[in-house]
């Protein structure tokens, strides 16, 4: 079925994104896996080619695309390379940067956004804590007033871009008595005294993504470092989470679709018992089911992207997109591994890495159980 969400301008940008990826990303994927991170050269090259500033106004060095669909196109193309690429890129350009664009002061925008667009400043979002998981309202990292300064103590974990990030937009508790209404966002630069990082976390998948623990020991900040309003951090996060979850959903479907296309080709070429394995009725029916699943999921993602481009996507619709896309992704990739047989369990095959990489998508950006809880509440349950 022909997709109708993207016009000629979006498809022209898709070609530009593909050209950049083929030239600057694909030749280095093995290096990225070995380094367990995307090097600064990746970010600088992305910035040079206009791949980091789609949501940044022109006066701060971005291209200000003014249409979320361009970001969705880039997420899809990066997902075809591997799940870690839209993840790391998305955390920076699609998740963290919009906090600064939409909530930052003029001084903060001038201070941070040009570097974010060029790749000289890499960002991350500091939400998750060792004891909190998906429960953002229960965070324990604190910022305590000391004269004209704030003193931050605590830690974060599972932070994408955390090991190499230069700026972490971090959620901290500024008023312990107010619960969720006592949380504030701070832009914490890695150069601040008292800021430190743990090791790169050893994950099951997404090896190209640098994921780390962050520690704050008497980090001193000022009101100039507050992103948004004092004690409004939880509200700000709730307002931004739908875009984060939609970005995840777009990448989930595109990632699974690419591996499924490659698996179809494998099923046509792989011979067993005198014929292609795709000709066996079970495999033929299975592939028919998988392609249908992907196309139906893609149609819903397109509807959500179109709605978000018009600023009409609700938090519940984004939650549906996030949990459903990750579930479909998981089912499709598991079947693709099975169709590859023993080769599907070998790391040298993309399907094996894709299968491992995809498992976390049912956990992050709010676990699928939390997504269902949000949907259930909307149903009045």
């Amino acid at each position: 079925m022909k997709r109708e969400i993207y016009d000629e301008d979006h498809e022209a940008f898709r070609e530009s994104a593909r050209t950049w990826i083929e030239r600057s990303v694909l030749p280095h994927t093995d290096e990225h896996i070995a380094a367990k991170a995307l090097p600064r050269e990746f970010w600088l090259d992305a910035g040079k080619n206009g791949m980091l500033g789609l949501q940044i106004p022109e006066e701060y060095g971005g291209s200000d695309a003014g249409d979320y669909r361009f970001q969705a196109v880039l997420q899809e193309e990066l997902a075809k390379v591997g799940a870690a690429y839209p993840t790391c890129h998305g955390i920076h350009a699609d998740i963290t940067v919009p906090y600064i664009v939409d909530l930052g002061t003029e001084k903060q925008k001038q201070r941070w956004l040009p570097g974010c667009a060029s790749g000289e400043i890499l960002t991350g979002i500091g939400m998750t804590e060792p004891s909190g998981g998906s429960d953002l309202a229960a965070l324990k990292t604190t910022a305590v007033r000391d004269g004209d300064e704030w003193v931050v103590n605590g830690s974060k974990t599972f932070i994408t871009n955390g090991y190499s990030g230069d700026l972490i937009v971090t959620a901290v508790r500024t008023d312990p008595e107010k619960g969720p209404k006592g949380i504030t966002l701070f832009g914490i630069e890695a150069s601040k005294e008292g800021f430190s990082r743990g090791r790169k976390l050893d994950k099951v998948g997404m090896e190209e993504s640098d994921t780390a623990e962050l520690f704050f020991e008497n980090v001193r900040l000022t009101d100039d470092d507050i992103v948004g309003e004092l004690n409004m951090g939880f509200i700000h996060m709730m307002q931004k989470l739908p875009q984060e979850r939609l970005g995840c959903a777009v990448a989930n479907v595109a990632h699974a679709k690419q591996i499924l296309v490659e698996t179809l080709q494998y099923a046509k070429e792989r011979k067993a018992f005198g014929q292609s394995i795709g000709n066996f009725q079970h495999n033929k029916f299975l592939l028919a089911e998988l392609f249908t699943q992907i196309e139906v999921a893609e149609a819903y993602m397109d509807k959500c992207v179109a709605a978000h481009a018009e600023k009409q996507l609700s938090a519940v619709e984004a939650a549906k997109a996030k949990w459903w896309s990750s579930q479909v992704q998981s089912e499709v990739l598991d079947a693709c591994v099975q169709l590859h047989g023993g080769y599907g369990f070998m790391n040298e095959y993309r399907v094996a890495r894709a299968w491992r990489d995809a498992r976390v998508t049912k956990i992050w950006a709010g676990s699928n159980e939390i997504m269902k809880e949000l949907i259930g509440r909307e149903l009045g349950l």
Side-chain angles (χ1 to χ4, degrees):
M1 183 177 294
K2 182 180 178 181
R3 301 174 73 186
E4 299 180 349
I5 182 176
Y6 300 119
D7 61 25
E8 292 181 0
D9 289 339
H10 299 114
E11 294 305 333
F13 175 69
R14 189 187 298 277
E15 286 304 313
S16 296
R18 283 175 178 166
T19 298
W20 169 66
I21 288 169
E22 289 172 1
R23 182 188 67 246
S24 300
V25 181
L26 284 173
H28 304 291
T29 54
D30 288 342
E31 299 167 27
H32 299 163
I33 291 173
K36 295 187 182 299
L38 302 181
R40 184 63 58 161
E41 289 75 17
F42 168 89
W43 297 105
L44 293 173
D45 194 65
K48 181 180 178 180
N49 286 274
M51 299 298 162
L52 297 180
L54 293 174
Q55 298 182 64
I56 296 176
E58 292 181 9
E59 59 263 39
Y60 306 111
S63 57
D64 195 16
D67 181 346
Y68 182 78
R69 289 176 292 177
F70 287 100
Q71 180 64 34
V73 165
L74 184 51
Q75 288 290 94
E76 288 184 350
E77 294 307 310
L78 286 168
K80 293 176 183 178
V81 182
Y85 291 92
T87 299
C88 296
H89 181 280
I91 285 289
H92 173 76
D94 191 35
I95 296 172
T96 309
V97 162
Y99 279 92
I100 303 169
V101 171
D102 297 337
L103 301 172
T105 64
E106 180 60 27
K107 185 177 180 180
Q108 288 172 339
K109 292 175 183 180
Q110 293 178 4
R111 175 180 167 192
W112 291 325
L113 289 180
C116 292
S118 69
E120 294 170 283
I121 295 177
L122 177 60
T123 66
I125 190 84
M127 293 184 185
T128 306
E129 296 189 350
S131 61
S134 296
D135 187 3
L136 297 180
L139 60 86
K140 296 179 180 178
T141 299
T142 61
V144 178
R145 241 331 165 182
D146 182 20
D148 293 333
E149 295 183 317
W150 294 91
V151 182
V152 178
N153 284 281
S155 65
K156 301 290 179 178
T157 193
F158 309 140
I159 307 304
T160 300
N161 297 343
Y163 196 81
S164 53
D166 305 294
L167 173 68
I168 310 297
V169 174
T170 308
V172 304
R173 188 168 298 285
T174 44
D175 192 333
E177 304 301 321
K178 291 185 177 180
K181 296 182 179 180
I183 293 172
T184 301
L185 300 177
F186 282 84
I188 304 181
E189 295 166 335
S191 58
K192 292 287 185 181
E193 185 176 352
F195 174 94
S196 63
R197 321 172 200 260
R199 59 189 172 85
K200 291 179 186 176
L201 297 176
D202 186 14
K203 306 183 299 296
V204 170
M206 293 218 182
E207 292 172 304
E208 307 95 319
S209 165
D210 89 55
T211 308
E213 300 168 301
L214 304 180
F215 302 99
F216 312 98
E217 185 176 356
N218 296 323
V219 176
R220 288 190 169 269
L221 305 172
T222 69
D223 287 346
D224 288 340
D225 298 307
I226 294 176
V227 178
E229 297 182 45
L230 180 66
N231 293 329
M232 288 289 289
F234 188 77
I235 300 299
H236 294 326
M237 288 188 290
M238 292 303 101
Q239 292 170 338
K240 294 297 182 186
L241 276 171
Q243 178 161 306
E244 176 178 351
R245 289 165 179 164
L246 176 59
C248 291
V250 169
N252 292 346
V253 174
H255 179 235
K257 182 179 181 180
Q258 178 63 30
I259 299 302
L260 179 58
V261 168
E262 294 175 16
T263 299
L264 174 62
Q265 187 61 35
Y266 178 84
K268 290 178 178 180
E269 296 173 354
R270 174 70 171 171
K271 297 291 194 295
F273 303 102
Q275 61 179 314
S276 299
I277 63 169
N279 286 334
F280 291 106
Q281 187 182 65
H282 171 80
N283 292 342
K284 184 185 298 182
F285 284 10
L286 175 59
L287 286 163
E289 292 170 3
L290 298 177
F291 272 92
T292 302
Q293 277 185 280
I294 284 293
E295 290 189 17
V296 171
E298 186 176 67
Y300 184 69
M301 295 311 114
D302 285 354
K303 290 282 287 184
C304 288
V305 168
H308 189 54
E310 297 295 327
K311 302 187 186 306
Q312 295 178 356
L313 182 72
S314 73
V316 170
E317 289 165 341
K320 291 176 182 177
K322 189 272 174 183
W323 96 256
W324 182 250
S325 66
S326 59
Q327 184 65 34
V328 169
Q329 178 190 33
S330 179
E331 292 176 3
V332 168
L333 293 179
D334 189 74
C336 288
V337 168
Q338 194 71 19
L339 284 164
H340 276 77
Y343 293 106
F345 205 63
M346 300 294 110
N347 278 327
E348 63 189 276
Y349 277 72
R350 270 168 52 86
V351 67
R353 299 197 300 273
W355 177 63
R356 289 189 290 111
D357 290 346
R359 182 58 183 86
V360 73
T361 66
K362 294 195 287 187
I363 298 172
W364 64 18
S367 69
N368 279 6
E369 290 74 19
I370 294 295
M371 298 303 97
K372 294 175 187 179
E373 178 69 21
L374 296 175
I375 298 165
R377 290 177 190 173
E378 180 76 3
L379 299 174
L381 301 173

